[in-house]
């Protein structure tokens, strides 16, 4: 993956080739993320490692080396297993609830379906911010606490992050399945872009 700093021309401007290079880098990131998360219990480790790579890229203009990325992934596999299982369980329960409401197998109708869908979108936005925080070299528990505080302090930012995840989910349904891994890389970058507008030291007392 190329460095954005090296890609800038003498005037400090970026042209279409730099944009194309960034797009290719993010597509590759999404493919690697998907492959690493394929066993499912490594999903959290894969997401955290991809987030850390985007964190480095957005702040230094360079991607981390393959050795650094592999080391990060290896160290985060075991701590990420409970997170992966929890995320899969919550996702499964929400999906089953939405399906039951949509097909009328449980009472509630359209209002209950709308509320459940809204809760689901909000949770995915929160989860997206947790992934961003983990990319900043935080542990999952600390990242979850910091993300929760940030969502409460800046609900509009939370809504924006939820919009990113909702749009990504919609696109994942609409695009061809082979393009879904590519979409994953763009989604991580979009989450970082939105979350990056939040003051970094909003709560310096949190670890």
């Amino acid at each position: 993956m190329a460095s954005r700093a090296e890609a800038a021309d003498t005037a400090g401007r970026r042209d279409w080739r730099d944009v194309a290079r960034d797009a290719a880098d993010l597509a590759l990131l999404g493919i690697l993320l998907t492959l690493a998360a394929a066993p499912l219990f490594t999903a959290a480790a894969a997401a955290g490692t991809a987030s850390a790579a985007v964190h480095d890229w957005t702040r230094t203009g360079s991607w981390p080396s393959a050795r650094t990325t592999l080391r990060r992934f290896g160290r985060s596999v075991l701590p990420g297993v409970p997170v992966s299982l929890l995320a899969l369980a919550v996702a499964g329960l929400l999906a089953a609830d939405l399906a039951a409401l949509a097909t009328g197998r449980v009472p509630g109708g359209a209002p209950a379906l709308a509320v459940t869908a809204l809760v689901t979108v909000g949770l995915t936005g929160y989860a997206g911010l947790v992934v961003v925080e983990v990319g900043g070299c935080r542990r999952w528990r600390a990242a979850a606490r910091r993300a929760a505080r940030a969502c409460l302090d800046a609900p509009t930012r939370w809504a924006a992050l939820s919009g990113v995840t909702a749009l990504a989910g919609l696109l994942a349904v609409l695009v061809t399945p082979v393009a879904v891994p590519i979409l994953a890389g763009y989604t991580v970058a979009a989450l970082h872009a939105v979350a990056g507008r939040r003051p970094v030291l909003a709560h310096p007392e949190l670890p």
Side-chain angles (χ1 to χ4, degrees):
M1 294 182 178
S3 166
R4 291 195 300 170
E6 294 176 355
D9 59 21
T10 56
R13 297 178 179 176
R14 291 162 49 79
D15 59 19
W16 66 270
R17 290 169 295 184
D18 303 320
V19 175
R21 186 181 297 111
D22 289 347
D25 288 345
L26 291 174
L28 177 59
L29 177 72
I31 293 172
L32 294 176
L33 165 60
T34 304
L35 291 176
L40 296 184
F41 68 88
T42 59
T49 303
S51 180
V54 174
H55 179 273
D56 292 349
W57 178 65
T58 55
R59 283 156 179 76
T60 68
S62 299
W63 294 98
S65 65
R67 178 177 298 181
T68 298
T69 300
L70 288 174
R71 184 175 66 251
R72 286 172 172 171
F73 179 74
R75 290 178 176 177
S76 59
V77 169
L78 288 180
V81 170
V83 180
S84 299
L85 296 178
L86 176 62
L88 290 171
V90 172
L93 289 174
L94 288 172
D97 195 12
L98 287 170
L101 287 169
T103 56
R105 293 198 301 269
V106 296
L113 179 61
V115 171
T116 305
L118 185 62
V119 170
T120 300
V121 171
L123 286 176
T124 57
Y126 166 70
L129 183 54
V130 173
V131 171
V132 171
E133 293 289 350
V134 168
C137 300
R138 299 182 184 278
R139 297 182 182 275
W140 284 103
R141 184 173 297 178
R145 290 200 303 267
R146 186 177 174 90
R149 183 70 64 84
C151 288
L152 294 176
D153 287 350
T156 55
R157 193 66 42 76
W158 183 12
L161 290 163
S162 300
V164 169
T165 57
L167 178 60
L170 177 62
L171 291 176
V173 173
L174 296 178
V175 301
T176 178
V178 73
V180 173
I182 296 174
L183 180 63
Y186 293 141
T187 302
V188 175
L191 290 171
H192 273 266
V194 174
R197 298 179 181 276
R198 175 173 52 82
V200 176
L201 298 179
H203 292 284
E205 73 278 4
L206 294 178

